[in-house]
Amino acid sequence: MPTVVLVRHGRTAANAAGVLAGRTPGVALDENGRAAVVRLAERLRAARPAAVVSSPLERCAETARGIAAGRDVVIDDRLTECDYGSWTGRPLAELREERLWKVVQDHPSGVVFPGGESLRAVQERAVAAVRDHDTRLAATDGGAGAVWLAVSHADVIKAVVADALGMHLDHFQRIVIDPCSVTVVSYTEHRPFVLRLNDVSGDLGFLAPPARQEQRSVPAGDAVVGGGAGT
């Protein structure tokens, strides 16, 4: 099956100021974020992604264009930010005083943001989007070894990773996803494999599809007992 590289957008002024931007329109990358996208594009060059899919929000679309290397960017609304409802646009320091904050920390699967969306719904739509694009690419010529990019938001990526790890959504706050980080998941018939998590530096050339299918010591989809030799 293909391999998805989950990319969080670059940093924005709202991130730096500690404001929950949510779906606020017009939130673009700041200078730090734009510079990080340039570095990430260089890291991803050798991976030769077959497709780039993005949340429709400006900060993600800007990141996606910066790392697409001339490829078309497909917009998928299912990768968009959580609808935080009346929490949108408010400082995090202020939101920490809300009673719901503790529920978000300890029992996120039970959270529905006031006037907004539940985190369960976020996970359901985002996982469906990733699985759908993965299946579509797998059906193309050479798709089984394809690498593709999905540009989204921290809570959305955390929800996808929790699903891939077989974790309950209530544990997803244990996962950290930094701006312009990459998280790599390979889905197989048996299980997903999380190959990288919150990776912010280093060579990503190992993601490049092989010129031919290499001989494997174990069937595709099986975990290597003892850990194996690495990628």
Side-chain angles (χ1 to χ4, degrees):
M1 293 291 285
T3 297
V4 59
V5 181
L6 300 163
V7 178
R8 185 184 172 193
H9 61 80
R11 197 184 77 172
T12 69
N15 295 145
V19 172
L20 186 63
R23 297 183 180 180
T24 304
V27 178
L29 304 183
D30 64 9
E31 183 177 353
N32 175 288
R34 290 189 294 273
V37 167
V38 171
R39 293 192 296 271
L40 179 56
E42 184 59 32
R43 294 180 64 207
L44 288 167
R45 188 183 306 279
R48 305 194 304 274
V52 183
V53 184
S54 176
S55 156
L57 294 182
E58 183 173 354
R59 55 193 183 272
C60 284
E62 186 178 355
T63 300
R65 290 191 299 269
I67 62 178
R71 295 171 180 82
D72 291 336
V73 175
V74 176
I75 299 298
D76 191 328
D77 290 342
R78 295 174 296 177
L79 294 178
T80 197
E81 179 66 285
C82 176
D83 183 355
Y84 296 110
S86 64
W87 278 33
T88 301
R90 295 175 60 188
L92 295 174
E94 179 183 297
L95 291 172
R96 290 190 186 101
E97 304 303 317
E98 297 280 350
R99 292 180 60 184
L100 186 62
W101 181 270
K102 182 171 176 55
V103 185
V104 173
Q105 301 303 311
D106 298 337
H107 183 42
S109 69
V111 168
V112 180
F113 289 98
E117 188 177 21
S118 73
L119 286 170
R120 292 191 314 277
V122 171
Q123 184 179 55
E124 182 177 355
R125 62 171 165 81
V127 170
V130 170
R131 292 280 195 170
D132 287 351
H133 288 288
D134 220 59
T135 300
R136 174 178 60 81
L137 281 169
T140 63
D141 291 338
V147 174
W148 64 284
L149 313 181
V151 185
S152 191
H153 309 266
D155 281 350
V156 180
I157 295 173
K158 286 164 60 175
V160 172
V161 172
D163 173 80
L165 290 172
M167 293 170 54
H168 196 283
L169 186 60
D170 283 346
H171 300 314
F172 100 136
Q173 298 292 26
R174 302 181 184 194
I175 300 167
V176 175
I177 301 294
D178 289 324
C180 241
S181 65
V182 299
T183 294
V184 183
V185 181
S186 178
Y187 291 91
T188 75
E189 292 182 3
H190 300 291
R191 63 183 61 81
F193 289 95
V194 179
L195 306 180
R196 292 287 190 277
L197 179 64
N198 196 38
D199 189 326
V200 294
S201 65
D203 179 30
L204 295 172
F206 78 94
L207 290 170
R212 58 181 178 81
Q213 190 64 35
E214 297 177 355
Q215 182 69 30
R216 292 176 56 91
S217 58
V218 297
D222 284 0
V224 180
V225 177
T231 53

